[in-house]
Amino acid sequence: MAEILSDVQMETPQQIIDIDRVGVRNIEYPISVRDKTRDVQPTIARISMYVSLPGIFRGTHMSRFFIILNKHRGLITQDILKSLLEEMMLELQAQSAQIEIRFPYFIEKEAPISGMKSLMNYECGFFASLNQTKVFEQYFEVNVPVLNLCPCSKEISRFGAHNQRSIVTVRICSRKLIWIEDIIDLVEGCASSPLYSLLKREDEKYVTEQAYNKPRFVEDVVREIAYNLDRFGRINWYEVESENQESIHNHNVYASIRKTCSS
Amino acid sequence: MAEILSDVQMETPQQIIDIDRVGVRNIEYPISVRDKTRDVQPTIARISMYVSLPGIFRGTHMSRFFIILNKHRGLITQDILKSLLEEMMLELQAQSAQIEIRFPYFIEKEAPISGMKSLMNYECGFFASLNQTKVFEQYFEVNVPVLNLCPCSKEISRFGAHNQRSIVTVRICSRKLIWIEDIIDLVEGCASSPLYSLLKREDEKYVTEQAYNKPRFVEDVVREIAYNLDRFGRINWYEVESENQESIHNHNVYASIRKTCSS
Amino acid sequence: MAEILSDVQMETPQQIIDIDRVGVRNIEYPISVRDKTRDVQPTIARISMYVSLPGIFRGTHMSRFFIILNKHRGLITQDILKSLLEEMMLELQAQSAQIEIRFPYFIEKEAPISGMKSLMNYECGFFASLNQTKVFEQYFEVNVPVLNLCPCSKEISRFGAHNQRSIVTVRICSRKLIWIEDIIDLVEGCASSPLYSLLKREDEKYVTEQAYNKPRFVEDVVREIAYNLDRFGRINWYEVESENQESIHNHNVYASIRKTCSS
Amino acid sequence: MAEILSDVQMETPQQIIDIDRVGVRNIEYPISVRDKTRDVQPTIARISMYVSLPGIFRGTHMSRFFIILNKHRGLITQDILKSLLEEMMLELQAQSAQIEIRFPYFIEKEAPISGMKSLMNYECGFFASLNQTKVFEQYFEVNVPVLNLCPCSKEISRFGAHNQRSIVTVRICSRKLIWIEDIIDLVEGCASSPLYSLLKREDEKYVTEQAYNKPRFVEDVVREIAYNLDRFGRINWYEVESENQESIHNHNVYASIRKTCSS
């Protein structure tokens, strides 16, 4: 006869205090993400899953997070986030649930003159929560590396201008589907130049001259992106950050804007 | 005669949009921190400094952050955070200012039986801001590595119990000085055992048996710390996080509580 | 008529000095890896590619690394490493070439008692080179997280024993194919216990008791793995490292053995 | 009467296999480093210490590494590395010993035109070993961030040129003392421009124009440094690496040269 193992998690805890979030962190897991041109794209995610825990229960049943994840294996896309959260609340008898999914996303990009194609990688993330009143909230994050050329350096120097790789982070909450690809296009259009994995000499000439003709402070970039997101429609709120890996300094410079849209 | 270099930062930007935060990030810099037993302790910090920027100015003058930092060189302690922020607002003509300072902090600790002394390192941080209405807010963060032994594993197994290193993060906002040392003591008292850099065999026996006698879920730890912080006094709000580097899994488990104190 | 852009890389450099390695680093790229049970497994790699550069050429043509990579897109497995290196030497007119490919690898694993299945992730790598005399060398690396329970802590304590997550790294050079799965099995058999993503209570009891019955120092683990690799056959050389994330300390303990096999 | 705790480490292991390296890793510890202008400079190090272990002993006594470290607390400079290693061999009855010490190092630097002073940080390291035949070997590492401007981009473009932050790593083995400061000067002289923490507008103009007048491929930089190290004298061997954080790509480009000097 099987031994009955006691369920310590169900005991009453020493201190009856509600816990905001309890769960599992940094699970490496293969998922699929909707892709504007190729239907779905397989990738490898880092996933964290949390629920709330009422003061009267000592512990949550951590293994259930994995059982839920495994049920949807190979088919974890942004479309099932809400039902995943509902399952988490049900299986773990929780009042609220949260999930964070970070992953690299690949886009085939053409070099500006030669037209040669190559893959570019963008770190992305989906973040979703269901709260006590069953309100579902979701936002996504896209990190877009770009080139920014300093307007001050260009203006005051007889020739040349310092420029550098910048990471622009955009977080968007929207009720309707917005393609990752469209946000990347919007961001790249606001920087001195997009980045490419593969550039031939004629492309490098084009990128260099374009960047020199389009100098941007870190402040200019976040403002121009904010201006365009304000006009994008379908957005509830957004946050824009940009961090320049300054080529003349050993530290970075940074700017950010966070806004609630009236639309 | 010296050339007059134009001040591109003072131009009117294309888009008149306020920027929430603009500044410099991840500056490595030697500082001093107040130490409960040794007056001050020299350490190496990672510093970020931000101000707000009104929509009408194109850029901030990033070099001034360094001029301010260098003025206080060797004497940057938590006591001067407010005046640093005031200088930032003044020099950069800003409506608000923020500073983040992260650093390792060392405490000499005695092994529990042999009494042998050794240094333990704790990652800490000071975070301060001055807002548009001149309200000064400040909190500090302490990361305390501890040992946690699983109550469920102990209960259901005939012998042994899995245990692991955990990182507990406590953030505290208080109007009065609270010593880093006191928060570390409080946290270590709520875990299965503190960690030590140097343990002789008799100490290792003590730590092993103590941890076995004091099993703690990640949920128990954050609750017990919250319970004690509620009774600590002088605290406006706190946040407690704990992350167990599970010895039976390749992922971590996590719990957190955030509270505003009525005191 | 198209402008002729000068090829600066082909100029004679200021200093006629041979360069050992020149290339591209940390390219994030989707690849496929041979899988013992499922034929191939898609994953996301970090790739670095290098060639040597004779003293008489000023620079290498970095874009060609990407052209070669893109030619094999979606079909980059360990079987084509040699031909990739040959292409690199040909296209870049180089005397030697090297490639490094790091990626997460997933295995479906059954919990020891309940038999519940879940995915476990292992960080792996392929490293290959072709030298001036056309000698092809290749090794692979597997990182296996395991649980180790301290024999000293168990022996001197009346009950319990500290245990922790350990990362074992094995690098193997072999002329014949060795499955990643087989090395993972070998390593997990030498530790106090394997790790699992999903454990039910009966599994947790089993893992806890098994680990207590099988205590292992970091030294025991690398010796036992070395002993088994010595008997594995088909191996030219290997290197074993193990790093324990000590649950009683804030630092790690480490051991390593490197050997050339006579077989 | 005190209990006698058995010394499990002294047991005979299951497999009589020599272990190359066993020890403690990533200890955060305050140290002092010799400074060319200010005598000594306090900093915070990451220290790893290893010894060999003969096949007949089951384990090493890890706590002794800390006892040795603590004996020299506050006075750990490069001058005592040899005696530290001798103590490690003696206390741990080992045939060989190794130590690795990594730390940030600060230099006060003047901006090129305004002369304004500011601190720049450089990641450095000391590495030392004593082998079975009592041969002492030592090398140090300096990481120097610099600006590099692409000669190809400049040549083919009508205006501008892409440039970026680069990290140059130099490792030097020398029988005589070589100042960190002198290697930093040598490296900065071989790049398009040094980096500065604090630059006023007139300095930024100077740095921008100087970099445009002194374009450097990653290959040029390692060659020029190698050329100068060949003429530096007192060097047994060196290794030079440079990694450009390309502003037009999302990956880095890299070059390295390793040489034994005849001097």
Side-chain angles (χ1 to χ4, degrees):
Chain A
M1 207 187 80
E3 191 184 355
I4 309 237
L5 301 174
S6 57
D7 189 346
V8 187
Q9 276 84 358
M10 295 302 284
E11 289 174 1
T12 304
Q14 210 82 32
Q15 295 88 21
I16 310 294
I17 299 176
D18 290 346
I19 293 183
D20 296 319
R21 298 203 302 170
V22 52
V24 288
R25 268 203 163 176
N26 282 325
I27 300 161
E28 206 165 14
Y29 207 84
I31 65 161
S32 290
V33 180
R34 285 176 66 166
D35 179 314
K36 197 177 178 184
T37 58
R38 294 182 293 162
D39 193 16
V40 288
Q41 172 174 156
T43 187
I44 309 290
R46 290 245 156 219
I47 300 178
S48 299
M49 300 165 87
Y50 311 103
V51 291
S52 60
L53 184 69
I56 50 160
F57 295 118
R58 186 166 177 200
T60 210
H61 290 89
M62 302 280 187
S63 64
R64 296 186 192 164
F65 289 111
F66 266 89
I67 294 175
I68 295 166
L69 213 51
N70 290 341
K71 233 198 287 183
H72 297 278
R73 188 165 142 200
L75 296 161
I76 297 176
T77 66
Q78 56 267 58
D79 305 316
I80 66 150
L81 291 181
K82 197 181 173 190
S83 59
L84 259 181
L85 291 169
E86 285 166 342
E87 276 183 81
M88 284 162 62
M89 280 173 67
L90 190 70
E91 290 293 327
L92 292 148
Q93 295 174 276
Q95 302 299 304
S96 68
Q98 272 181 282
I99 190 162
E100 303 170 357
I101 303 179
R102 288 180 179 82
F103 54 91
Y105 187 77
F106 292 88
I107 292 178
E108 192 172 67
K109 228 168 141 179
E110 283 185 18
I113 304 298
S114 71
M116 288 195 74
K117 289 175 179 175
S118 196
L119 287 180
M120 260 289 289
N121 61 304
Y122 302 87
E123 298 305 309
C124 297
F126 295 125
F127 305 85
S129 61
L130 256 176
N131 75 3
Q132 270 106 330
T133 54
K134 294 265 178 186
V135 174
F136 176 65
E137 286 186 318
Q138 182 179 11
Y139 70 91
F140 68 98
E141 175 184 307
V142 188
N143 289 280
V144 186
V146 295
L147 183 160
N148 282 325
L149 183 138
C150 179
C152 171
S153 168
K154 176 183 173 180
E155 177 68 26
I156 62 179
S157 305
R158 284 169 299 157
F159 35 75
H162 77 83
N163 51 76
Q164 50 268 319
R165 205 191 288 164
S166 259
I167 307 296
V168 176
T169 303
V170 178
R171 292 181 197 91
I172 288 177
C173 174
S174 165
R175 249 164 270 131
K176 300 222 179 114
L177 174 75
I178 293 178
W179 291 105
I180 289 174
E181 286 83 348
D182 294 342
I183 297 305
I184 291 172
D185 280 351
L186 186 156
V187 168
E188 291 183 341
C190 298
S192 295
S193 172
L195 302 195
Y196 300 88
S197 294
L198 174 52
L199 293 173
K200 301 300 291 176
R201 264 206 296 284
E202 58 269 36
D203 302 311
E204 186 171 350
K205 172 182 166 62
Y206 177 86
V207 166
T208 303
E209 295 178 354
Q210 187 202 30
Y212 192 80
N213 282 332
K214 201 181 166 189
R216 288 289 182 278
F217 283 130
V218 72
E219 295 96 333
D220 296 329
V221 171
V222 294
R223 273 179 173 136
E224 200 165 324
I225 295 169
Y227 178 88
N228 284 293
L229 290 175
D230 284 342
R231 275 144 197 80
F232 194 86
R234 294 170 291 153
I235 291 176
N236 301 342
W237 63 258
Y238 64 81
E239 186 167 39
V240 185
E241 298 184 298
S242 187
E243 185 162 347
N244 277 9
Q245 298 164 3
E246 294 291 285
S247 63
I248 59 171
H249 297 306
N250 199 21
H251 58 266
N252 294 349
V253 306
Y254 171 89
S256 69
I257 294 174
R258 189 187 162 93
K259 257 206 245 176
T260 304
C261 296
S262 49
S263 66
Chain B
M1 205 186 77
E3 188 184 0
I4 307 241
L5 301 173
S6 56
D7 190 347
V8 186
Q9 278 83 357
M10 295 302 284
E11 289 174 3
T12 303
Q14 209 81 33
Q15 295 89 21
I16 309 294
I17 299 176
D18 290 347
I19 293 183
D20 297 317
R21 299 204 299 171
V22 52
V24 288
R25 271 203 160 175
N26 282 323
I27 300 160
E28 207 165 12
Y29 207 84
I31 66 162
S32 290
V33 180
R34 286 177 63 165
D35 180 315
K36 198 178 177 182
T37 57
R38 294 182 292 161
D39 193 15
V40 286
Q41 172 175 155
T43 187
I44 308 291
R46 290 244 155 221
I47 301 178
S48 298
M49 302 167 86
Y50 310 104
V51 292
S52 59
L53 184 69
I56 50 161
F57 296 118
R58 184 166 179 199
T60 209
H61 290 88
M62 301 281 187
S63 64
R64 296 186 192 164
F65 290 110
F66 266 89
I67 294 174
I68 294 166
L69 213 51
N70 290 341
K71 233 200 286 185
H72 297 278
R73 191 166 139 196
L75 296 162
I76 296 177
T77 66
Q78 56 266 57
D79 305 316
I80 65 151
L81 291 181
K82 195 180 174 190
S83 61
L84 259 181
L85 291 169
E86 285 167 341
E87 276 183 82
M88 283 161 65
M89 280 172 67
L90 191 70
E91 289 294 327
L92 292 148
Q93 296 173 277
Q95 301 300 305
S96 68
Q98 272 181 282
I99 190 162
E100 304 170 355
I101 304 180
R102 290 181 178 81
F103 54 90
Y105 187 76
F106 292 87
I107 293 179
E108 191 172 66
K109 229 170 139 176
E110 284 186 15
I113 304 298
S114 71
M116 289 195 73
K117 289 175 179 176
S118 195
L119 287 180
M120 261 288 290
N121 60 304
Y122 301 88
E123 298 305 310
C124 297
F126 294 127
F127 304 86
S129 62
L130 256 177
N131 74 3
Q132 270 106 331
T133 54
K134 294 264 177 187
V135 174
F136 176 64
E137 285 186 317
Q138 182 179 11
Y139 69 92
F140 68 98
E141 175 184 307
V142 188
N143 290 280
V144 186
V146 296
L147 184 159
N148 282 324
L149 183 138
C150 179
C152 171
S153 170
K154 176 184 172 180
E155 177 68 25
I156 61 178
S157 306
R158 285 169 297 156
F159 35 75
H162 77 81
N163 53 75
Q164 49 269 320
R165 205 190 288 162
S166 259
I167 307 297
V168 176
T169 304
V170 178
R171 294 181 195 90
I172 289 176
C173 173
S174 165
R175 248 163 270 132
K176 301 224 178 110
L177 174 74
I178 293 179
W179 291 106
I180 289 174
E181 286 84 348
D182 294 342
I183 297 305
I184 291 172
D185 280 351
L186 186 156
V187 169
E188 290 183 342
C190 298
S192 295
S193 172
L195 301 196
Y196 300 89
S197 293
L198 175 52
L199 293 173
K200 300 302 290 176
R201 264 204 297 285
E202 58 269 37
D203 302 311
E204 187 171 352
K205 173 184 164 62
Y206 177 86
V207 166
T208 302
E209 296 178 354
Q210 187 201 29
Y212 192 79
N213 282 331
K214 201 180 167 190
R216 289 288 183 277
F217 283 131
V218 72
E219 294 96 332
D220 296 329
V221 170
V222 294
R223 274 182 173 133
E224 200 165 323
I225 294 169
Y227 179 87
N228 283 292
L229 289 175
D230 283 343
R231 274 139 200 82
F232 195 86
R234 292 170 292 153
I235 292 177
N236 300 344
W237 62 258
Y238 64 82
E239 186 167 40
V240 185
E241 297 183 300
S242 185
E243 185 163 348
N244 277 10
Q245 298 164 4
E246 294 291 285
S247 63
I248 59 171
H249 297 305
N250 198 21
H251 59 265
N252 294 348
V253 306
Y254 170 89
S256 69
I257 293 173
R258 188 187 162 94
K259 257 206 246 174
T260 304
C261 295
S262 49
S263 65
Chain C
M1 208 187 78
E3 190 185 355
I4 306 233
L5 300 173
S6 56
D7 190 346
V8 186
Q9 277 83 358
M10 295 302 284
E11 289 173 1
T12 303
Q14 210 81 33
Q15 295 89 19
I16 309 294
I17 298 176
D18 290 348
I19 294 182
D20 297 318
R21 297 205 301 172
V22 51
V24 288
R25 269 203 161 176
N26 282 325
I27 300 161
E28 206 164 14
Y29 207 85
I31 65 161
S32 291
V33 180
R34 285 176 66 167
D35 180 313
K36 197 178 177 182
T37 58
R38 294 183 293 162
D39 193 16
V40 288
Q41 172 174 157
T43 187
I44 309 291
R46 290 244 156 221
I47 300 177
S48 298
M49 300 166 86
Y50 311 103
V51 291
S52 59
L53 185 68
I56 50 161
F57 295 118
R58 185 167 177 199
T60 209
H61 290 88
M62 302 281 187
S63 64
R64 295 184 193 166
F65 290 111
F66 266 90
I67 294 174
I68 295 166
L69 213 51
N70 290 341
K71 235 201 283 184
H72 297 277
R73 189 164 141 201
L75 297 161
I76 297 177
T77 66
Q78 56 267 58
D79 305 316
I80 65 151
L81 291 181
K82 195 179 175 192
S83 60
L84 260 181
L85 291 169
E86 285 167 342
E87 276 183 81
M88 284 161 64
M89 280 173 67
L90 190 71
E91 289 294 326
L92 292 148
Q93 296 175 276
Q95 302 299 305
S96 68
Q98 272 181 282
I99 190 162
E100 303 170 356
I101 304 180
R102 289 181 179 82
F103 54 90
Y105 187 78
F106 292 87
I107 292 179
E108 192 172 66
K109 227 169 142 178
E110 284 184 16
I113 304 297
S114 70
M116 289 194 74
K117 290 176 178 174
S118 196
L119 287 180
M120 261 288 290
N121 62 304
Y122 302 88
E123 298 305 309
C124 297
F126 294 126
F127 304 85
S129 62
L130 256 176
N131 74 3
Q132 270 106 331
T133 53
K134 294 264 178 189
V135 174
F136 175 64
E137 285 185 318
Q138 181 179 13
Y139 70 91
F140 69 97
E141 175 184 307
V142 188
N143 289 281
V144 186
V146 295
L147 184 159
N148 283 324
L149 183 138
C150 179
C152 171
S153 169
K154 177 184 171 179
E155 176 68 26
I156 62 179
S157 305
R158 285 169 298 157
F159 35 75
H162 76 82
N163 52 75
Q164 50 268 320
R165 205 190 289 164
S166 259
I167 307 296
V168 176
T169 304
V170 178
R171 292 181 196 91
I172 289 177
C173 174
S174 164
R175 249 163 268 131
K176 300 221 178 113
L177 174 74
I178 292 180
W179 290 105
I180 289 174
E181 286 83 347
D182 294 342
I183 297 305
I184 291 172
D185 280 351
L186 186 155
V187 168
E188 291 184 341
C190 298
S192 295
S193 172
L195 301 195
Y196 300 89
S197 294
L198 174 52
L199 293 173
K200 300 302 290 178
R201 265 205 297 284
E202 58 269 35
D203 302 311
E204 185 170 351
K205 173 182 165 63
Y206 177 86
V207 165
T208 303
E209 296 178 354
Q210 188 201 30
Y212 192 79
N213 282 331
K214 200 180 166 189
R216 290 287 183 278
F217 283 130
V218 72
E219 294 96 333
D220 295 330
V221 171
V222 294
R223 273 180 174 136
E224 200 165 324
I225 295 170
Y227 178 87
N228 284 293
L229 290 176
D230 284 343
R231 273 140 199 83
F232 194 87
R234 292 170 292 153
I235 291 176
N236 300 344
W237 64 257
Y238 64 81
E239 186 167 39
V240 185
E241 298 184 300
S242 186
E243 185 163 347
N244 277 8
Q245 297 164 4
E246 293 291 284
S247 63
I248 59 171
H249 297 305
N250 198 21
H251 58 266
N252 294 348
V253 306
Y254 170 89
S256 69
I257 293 174
R258 190 188 160 93
K259 257 207 244 174
T260 304
C261 296
S262 48
S263 65
Chain D
M1 208 185 76
E3 190 184 356
I4 308 237
L5 301 173
S6 57
D7 190 347
V8 186
Q9 276 83 0
M10 294 303 283
E11 289 174 3
T12 304
Q14 209 82 31
Q15 295 90 20
I16 310 295
I17 299 176
D18 291 348
I19 293 184
D20 296 319
R21 299 203 301 171
V22 51
V24 287
R25 270 203 162 175
N26 282 324
I27 300 161
E28 206 165 13
Y29 208 84
I31 65 162
S32 290
V33 180
R34 286 176 62 167
D35 180 314
K36 198 178 177 181
T37 57
R38 294 182 293 161
D39 193 16
V40 287
Q41 172 173 157
T43 187
I44 309 289
R46 290 244 156 219
I47 301 178
S48 299
M49 301 166 86
Y50 310 104
V51 291
S52 59
L53 184 69
I56 50 160
F57 296 119
R58 185 165 178 199
T60 209
H61 289 89
M62 301 282 187
S63 65
R64 297 188 191 162
F65 290 111
F66 266 90
I67 293 174
I68 294 166
L69 213 51
N70 290 342
K71 235 200 284 183
H72 297 277
R73 190 166 140 197
L75 296 162
I76 297 176
T77 66
Q78 56 265 58
D79 305 316
I80 65 149
L81 291 181
K82 196 180 173 191
S83 60
L84 259 182
L85 291 170
E86 284 166 344
E87 276 183 82
M88 284 161 63
M89 280 172 67
L90 191 70
E91 289 293 327
L92 291 149
Q93 296 174 276
Q95 302 300 306
S96 67
Q98 272 181 282
I99 190 162
E100 303 170 356
I101 303 180
R102 290 181 178 81
F103 54 90
Y105 187 77
F106 292 87
I107 293 179
E108 192 172 67
K109 230 168 139 178
E110 283 184 19
I113 303 299
S114 70
M116 288 195 73
K117 289 175 180 177
S118 195
L119 287 180
M120 260 289 289
N121 60 304
Y122 301 88
E123 298 305 311
C124 298
F126 295 126
F127 305 85
S129 62
L130 255 177
N131 74 3
Q132 271 105 330
T133 54
K134 294 262 176 190
V135 175
F136 176 65
E137 286 186 316
Q138 183 179 12
Y139 69 91
F140 68 98
E141 175 184 307
V142 188
N143 289 281
V144 186
V146 296
L147 184 159
N148 282 324
L149 183 138
C150 179
C152 170
S153 170
K154 176 183 173 180
E155 177 68 25
I156 62 179
S157 306
R158 283 169 299 157
F159 35 75
H162 77 83
N163 52 75
Q164 50 268 320
R165 205 191 288 164
S166 258
I167 307 297
V168 176
T169 304
V170 178
R171 295 182 195 90
I172 289 176
C173 173
S174 164
R175 248 163 271 132
K176 301 223 178 115
L177 175 75
I178 294 180
W179 290 105
I180 288 173
E181 286 84 348
D182 294 342
I183 297 304
I184 291 172
D185 279 352
L186 186 155
V187 168
E188 291 183 342
C190 298
S192 294
S193 172
L195 301 196
Y196 301 88
S197 294
L198 175 52
L199 294 172
K200 301 301 291 176
R201 264 204 298 284
E202 59 268 36
D203 303 310
E204 186 170 351
K205 173 183 165 63
Y206 177 86
V207 166
T208 303
E209 295 178 353
Q210 186 202 29
Y212 192 79
N213 282 331
K214 199 181 167 190
R216 289 289 182 277
F217 283 130
V218 72
E219 293 95 334
D220 295 330
V221 171
V222 294
R223 273 181 173 132
E224 199 165 325
I225 294 170
Y227 179 88
N228 283 293
L229 290 175
D230 284 342
R231 274 140 199 81
F232 195 87
R234 293 170 291 153
I235 292 177
N236 300 345
W237 63 258
Y238 64 81
E239 186 167 40
V240 185
E241 297 184 300
S242 186
E243 185 162 347
N244 278 9
Q245 297 164 3
E246 294 290 285
S247 63
I248 59 170
H249 297 305
N250 198 21
H251 58 265
N252 294 348
V253 306
Y254 171 89
S256 68
I257 293 173
R258 189 187 161 94
K259 258 207 243 175
T260 304
C261 296
S262 49
S263 67

